[in-house]
Structure formats: structure tokens, C-alpha cells
Amino acid sequence: MRIDAYEDPGPPERRGGWWYLAWLVRRQWPRCLAGAVFASVWMVLLAATPYLMARAVDHGLEPGDLAALAGWTGAMVAVGGINAWLGVLRHRTMTKVRMDANFRTVKVVVGHATRLGAALRSQVGTGEVVTIGVGDVQTISASLTAVGPGVGAVVAYAVVGGLMVSVSVRLALVVLLGVPLLALVIGPLMGRLQGRETEYRERQSVLTARIGDLAGGLRVLNGLGGKGLVADAFRGDSGRLREQGYRVGAVTSWIQALGVGLPMLFLALVTWLGARLAAQGRISVGELVSVYGYVVALGWPVAFLIEMGHQLSRGVVAARRVVAFLRLEPPRDEGTREAPAEPSVLHDPASGVRILPGRLTALATSHPSDATEILDRLGRYTPSDATWGDVPLAEIPLAQVRARILVAAPEADLFAGPLHEVVGAQETGPRGAGNRATSHHTPADAEPRIRADELALLTQALHSAAAEDIVRALPDGLGTPVEAQARNLSGGQRQRVRLARALLTDPEILLAAEPTSALDAHTEATVADRLKRAREGRTTVLAATSPLLLDRADVVHHLVDGKVAATGTHRELLDTEPGYRALVARDGEAVAEEAAAEGEPAR
């Protein structure tokens, strides 16, 4: 039975952790049933070996019947061979069960994260998502491997108990009552483990989020002298997580110790009772041998039952976290009014910003977060009273807004894959977008096959973003693999790749925050010129303080405390607004220094 990593996982169960685990079993019930059958037969045949051994002793060895002895011995060898084969089938089947649960959970989590879209970060932390993807998915999939052996353990346990009835009713009762008594002892520890594991996972997600924040802002923290303070806080959180891990380990150690020790005591009792019965002559030597064999055979089902309880206890904790994530819902889209049919004014009443259609507009402020908030309101990523034409933006269906307005964030995610796919062009032919298994794994020595029209648009977008040198510098050009977040590119290269991706989309309205902040003066001037030409007649808004960009803008809004303080062209504001002049002068000095270093006049 093949596992398709790309098939529809189906609607997940969201009523609770146990419901979710049951859903994973139902989605692959033939495979789980096969695993249970293989495990049941495998464990029953383990118990059959002592039975065959008892017959070999009583009917062959004791009376001296060599033919009977050879027959029963041959039967044991055959059963051993069949059992070895069944063991391989059981292991392979449960591995497929684990992998299916892994892929299915990853798909439902990633799919739901995609549906949440921009609402994801406002509802759940990055650390929570990472912990689910890295830890909880593995825990859930591992817990399902206990399903087949667990069912097999119950069946084998009942079969062994039935076989021992033929030897001694007292021994059979001891065997049949032993596991329920073990469950009464270990059961409370399972509940305690769930509580400890839940708290540990929560602390782990918090610490994971802090690691991500540190990785992204370490340079800033170091410059501000706050590295030591944050390191102390991280050390404290890490210590608390370690202590919680010790608590989880303490409960787990008790479960494992009791899981090993109590069954041994239980089986020792069965062995002792069997020896007394043999000494009293109430059972034969062969039956005594079978009792010893049954005791050994019982070790497997008892161990599997305890392991199943342990794994399912951890799995249900992880499943509850997945279910909690799946219950998150994006804000309801109640838009019913049509977007303006023609290019229209975007207006943000909170700041006073008015974006005229077909113009290149710049937002200049000493606080970049103010401009970013305005772009988010105009792109309808945050609730606001913004209007598009004479229609409130919130009353327009979100699909229409997303289709025509693009917010290009400065740190937008870049996914791993060939450069042409990172920018947005897809392959065609046998390695194309229709071939899902290879669309993100173009060989380094293979030239991507892109349709001529797409290649022309891609080339134009890269040219407008002044990114042709990136393609030339990479060993395989557009087919060169790019790491996640383009870590194998420089900061300026990543910025131009993001800009090229936005330009390739060619939205009616483009809202971009600091698209050239990581570029040198010469490259920034090139991008400014090409961007203006590429977006001629299209509405474009740039949040920037670079004089090279501001000088190309048709309209500049100078913002103070998030409000429009003055509006005009770059040169008009330089002549009339001291605050604007001071703001731009800071960047102007840096531009002049870079231009002088390159031997070019600053513009």
C-alpha cells in the first residue's frame, strides 16, 4: 500500500486529542488492520512455541518416540521461520502507519497555516508552530506505531491465558488478572505524564519563539548593548525548561521502571506457581516447560501494552496541541461590496494618506513602523476605516483586495527552491509545475525549462529590480538552488529578489516597505530609475527615506507621529519643510558617502 505525500489528507478531526488520533487510524484503517493482524499472529505464534515444545517433550522426548520428537521439532522450526517473516511484515506495516500519520499531520497543519494566512502571526506564536512541526508531529506519528502491536498484545494475552487453562485454572486466572492490576498501578502515572508533558511543550514553544527572535535581532541587540540582558533572560527560561524536562523524565522513568519490574514480578509468580504444581505432580514436565515458555512469551505482549499506554499518553498531548492549532480561524470576511472597477484613490483616514491612482507615492517618516502600519491598513492586513474609491476597504471581499493590492513586506518569506521558482516562474515539461515530486528539486546541472512568455516576464522583473547580476553570479543561473529564506544570498540580493517577485506579480497597486534599504547608492539609484519606468501608469507606494527614491516619487507624504504633516514633491518639501529636510539629510549623507566611494555623483 503506497503512501502518497501529496494526496488530500481529508478534513481533520478537531474535537480533541483522542478524536484526532482515532481519525489518523481511520484514514488508513486497512494498513492499521493489517498491522494488527500481523502483530496478533506474530505474538500468538510466539506463544505457540512453548505449546509445541511441551508436546515434543511429552510425546517425543519422554516416551522416546524419535519420529514424534522430530515432527514436533520441525513444527517449531517452521513456526519460527513464519514468525520471522511476520515480524518483518509487522515492522514494515507499522513504519508505513507512522509515515502516513506524519505526512498527514504535516499536510493538515501546513494547509491550515496557509488558510490562516496573515492572521497566523496574530493568533499563535512562531515558537508554537515550530514546536508542532518539529516535536508534536513526530510524537503523534510514533504513538500510532503502538496500535498494531497493542491489538496484537491483547489478542496474544487472551490466547496465552486460554492455553494456560488447559494446564492450570489457577495459573490462567493469575495471568488474566495480572495486566489489569498493572494498569491500576501505572494508570495514574500516565495521567500525571500527560500533565507534565503538556506544560513542557508549552514552555518549549515559548523558548523556541525566543530563539527565533534572538536570531533575527541579535545584531541590533549587540549594537544597543542589550545582548547580556537578553542572554540572562534566555538562560533563565532555558533553565526552567530543563527543570520541567527533568519532571517529565522522572515520571517517564517511573513508568518504564514499573513497566519492566512489575511484569517480571508477575511472571516470576507464575513461574513459581507452575514449579509448585509440577512438584506436586499436578502438571507434567512438558506442561511445566510450556508454562516457562508461556511466561517468556507473555513478556512481549505485556511490554507492548505498557509501551502502548506510554506512547498514546504522549501522543494525545501532542494531538491536543495540533487540534488547538486547527481550531484557530481567520477573521471572517464579511465583504459584500464590489471593488472599484476603475483605478481609484486609496485613503487612510487614520493618517490622512491619500494614494492617487497611477502615481508613484512615497511615505517618509522617522519611524518606519508608522509607515508599515499605514501599508498594512491600505492592504487590509489590519482593521481600519480605509477606503478604496468610495467603498470602505473592509466591505470589499478579501479575495478581490488580494487580487489587486499587493503588500511587499521587507522580510517576506523566501522558500527554498531554484531561483526562478523563488521569484515566481514555474518550470514546464517533465520537470514542470505539474510534476510535484520534482518541482522544488531542480538538479544543479539542469537548465530550467520555462515558457518563453514567462521567461520574458521574469527577465523583465529581474531587470527592473537590478537583479541580473545575481543570476550571472550564481553557478547555474536561474536553476541555482536557493536555501530557505535565501540564506545563501546577501542581504541586498535577498531584497532585490523580493522586489523582483513583487514586480513579476504586476499588481494594480503595489505597497512596498523599504525596498532598497540594504542596497548601495549606485544599485539603489538604478533600482529607483527602473522601478519608476516599470510601474509607469500603475499605483505604487513606497515607504522610504532614501533621497534617491524620494526624488523619483510623484508625491511624497511626510509623516510625523503617523500623521501626514506635509505633502508635495521631494524638492518642494526640501525647500519648505525643515523637519523633512532633516529627515532626508541623514540618509542623504550616507548616499553621498557611498557615491563618493564609488566615484559617482550623488543624486
Side-chain angles (χ1 to χ4, degrees):
M1 192 176 296
R2 186 175 61 88
I3 296 175
D4 185 357
Y6 295 96
E7 70 176 347
D8 181 11
E13 182 61 70
R14 306 183 186 187
R15 283 181 286 180
W18 288 110
W19 288 98
Y20 184 82
L21 294 180
W23 172 76
L24 289 176
V25 172
R26 288 198 308 272
R27 293 299 299 181
Q28 50 172 331
W29 68 265
R31 190 179 291 123
C32 292
L33 178 61
V37 170
F38 289 144
S40 298
V41 177
W42 177 69
M43 291 191 193
V44 168
L45 289 182
L46 286 177
T49 300
Y51 175 83
L52 296 174
M53 186 179 296
R55 295 300 176 272
V57 171
D58 286 343
H59 299 156
L61 183 63
E62 189 173 354
D65 188 343
L66 295 181
L69 179 62
W72 288 112
T73 302
M76 283 191 290
V77 172
V79 167
I82 294 173
N83 230 19
W85 176 68
L86 287 173
V88 172
L89 293 179
R90 174 190 63 83
H91 184 76
R92 286 183 176 178
T93 302
M94 299 319 298
T95 298
K96 290 182 179 180
V97 169
R98 183 180 72 250
M99 297 305 296
D100 184 282
N102 189 307
F103 283 130
R104 199 173 298 276
T105 301
V106 167
K107 284 186 285 189
V108 298
V109 169
V110 172
H112 192 65
T114 303
R115 285 190 291 273
L116 288 174
L120 176 63
R121 292 186 178 181
S122 63
Q123 297 195 47
V124 63
T126 304
E128 180 74 6
V129 179
V130 172
T131 302
I132 289 174
V134 174
D136 293 331
V137 169
Q138 299 296 328
T139 302
I140 289 171
S141 59
S143 70
L144 287 197
T145 60
V147 173
V151 173
V154 173
V155 172
Y157 190 76
V159 170
V160 170
L163 289 174
M164 293 193 72
V165 169
S166 62
V167 178
S168 168
V169 175
R170 181 188 302 177
L171 289 176
L173 289 176
V174 171
V175 169
L176 295 175
L177 294 178
V179 168
L181 291 176
L182 291 177
L184 290 177
V185 175
I186 298 178
L189 290 175
M190 296 293 186
R192 189 173 183 182
L193 176 63
Q194 290 186 23
R196 300 290 192 193
E197 188 84 15
T198 300
E199 187 176 351
Y200 177 79
R201 292 292 185 183
E202 291 173 353
R203 290 185 181 274
Q204 188 180 38
S205 66
V206 172
L207 191 64
T208 302
R210 179 157 293 184
I211 291 173
D213 293 340
L214 284 174
L218 189 58
R219 182 176 300 177
V220 176
L221 287 171
N222 196 30
L224 296 174
K227 185 171 67 174
L229 181 63
V230 175
D232 290 340
F234 179 81
R235 190 177 296 108
D237 288 342
S238 181
R240 284 187 287 273
L241 178 65
R242 182 178 62 250
E243 292 298 325
Q244 186 62 31
Y246 289 156
R247 296 188 184 98
V248 173
V251 179
T252 301
S253 65
W254 274 106
I255 292 175
Q256 293 178 342
L258 292 175
V260 173
L262 290 180
M264 290 302 101
L265 292 176
F266 159 64
L267 298 177
L269 174 62
V270 175
T271 303
W272 179 75
L273 290 174
R276 284 181 58 85
L277 291 174
Q280 295 169 1
R282 299 171 63 178
I283 60 175
S284 67
V285 174
E287 289 174 331
L288 177 61
V289 172
S290 69
V291 168
Y292 290 156
Y294 292 147
V295 169
V296 174
L298 277 175
W300 284 99
V302 171
F304 273 123
L305 286 174
I306 294 174
E307 178 66 14
M308 179 179 67
H310 181 214
Q311 292 289 355
L312 289 179
S313 294
R314 300 183 70 236
V316 75
V317 171
R320 286 170 184 163
R321 290 167 57 82
V322 170
V323 167
F325 178 77
L326 296 178
R327 287 175 177 170
L328 299 176
E329 295 293 340
R332 294 184 60 184
D333 181 15
E334 299 178 349
T336 57
R337 301 179 63 178
E338 290 296 315
E342 301 295 332
S344 302
V345 173
L346 269 177
H347 179 221
D348 176 38
S351 63
V353 168
R354 294 179 66 85
I355 307 300
L356 301 179
R359 305 285 188 87
L360 175 58
T361 304
L363 307 180
T365 174
S366 58
H367 299 289
S369 60
D370 292 341
T372 301
E373 290 174 4
I374 293 172
L375 296 184
D376 284 343
R377 292 197 292 267
L378 294 176
R380 200 180 148 189
Y381 282 98
T382 56
S384 71
D385 296 325
T387 59
W388 190 3
D390 59 352
V391 183
L393 204 58
E395 296 182 11
I396 301 173
L398 188 60
Q400 294 187 27
V401 176
R402 294 287 178 265
R404 296 172 61 183
I405 301 177
L406 173 64
V407 178
E411 296 298 328
D413 291 324
L414 295 171
F415 298 102
L419 177 61
H420 67 88
E421 288 191 7
V422 174
V423 177
Q426 297 294 311
E427 288 180 323
T428 61
R431 291 198 322 273
N435 188 343
R436 296 172 299 185
T438 59
S439 63
H440 291 287
H441 298 280
T442 303
D445 59 350
E447 187 67 23
R449 303 175 185 178
I450 307 173
R451 292 202 319 263
D453 56 340
E454 284 199 2
L455 181 59
L457 293 174
L458 176 60
T459 302
Q460 180 58 45
L462 291 168
H463 173 77
S464 299
E468 309 103 309
D469 63 310
I470 300 176
V471 180
R472 291 193 297 267
L474 294 175
D476 296 293
L478 292 172
T480 302
V482 176
E483 297 177 5
Q485 302 301 345
R487 288 188 295 266
N488 55 332
L489 301 180
S490 68
Q493 289 175 328
R494 288 194 293 270
Q495 198 165 53
R496 284 180 284 163
V497 167
R498 290 189 178 99
L499 181 58
R501 182 173 63 179
L503 293 173
L504 182 63
T505 306
D506 193 27
E508 178 183 328
I509 300 174
L510 173 62
L511 311 175
E514 299 290 347
T516 62
S517 59
L519 305 183
D520 60 79
H522 172 71
T523 307
E524 187 176 30
T526 303
V527 171
D529 288 331
R530 294 180 180 180
L531 178 61
K532 184 173 178 63
R533 288 196 297 268
R535 295 291 298 173
E536 188 71 33
R538 312 280 276 175
T539 305
T540 307
V541 182
L542 305 178
T545 56
S546 167
L548 295 173
L549 287 179
L550 297 173
D551 191 39
R552 273 78 171 175
D554 299 312
V555 178
V556 178
H557 292 298
H558 178 215
L559 306 173
V560 177
D561 296 330
K563 307 284 186 180
V564 174
T567 299
T569 66
H570 171 61
R571 298 187 184 277
E572 288 172 350
L573 294 178
L574 285 176
D575 293 337
T576 60
E577 294 294 325
Y580 178 80
R581 188 163 54 246
L583 170 65
V584 175
R586 293 200 296 268
D587 280 350
E589 292 174 1
V591 169
E593 291 175 1
E594 290 187 16
E598 297 179 7
E600 296 188 6
R603 293 186 290 176

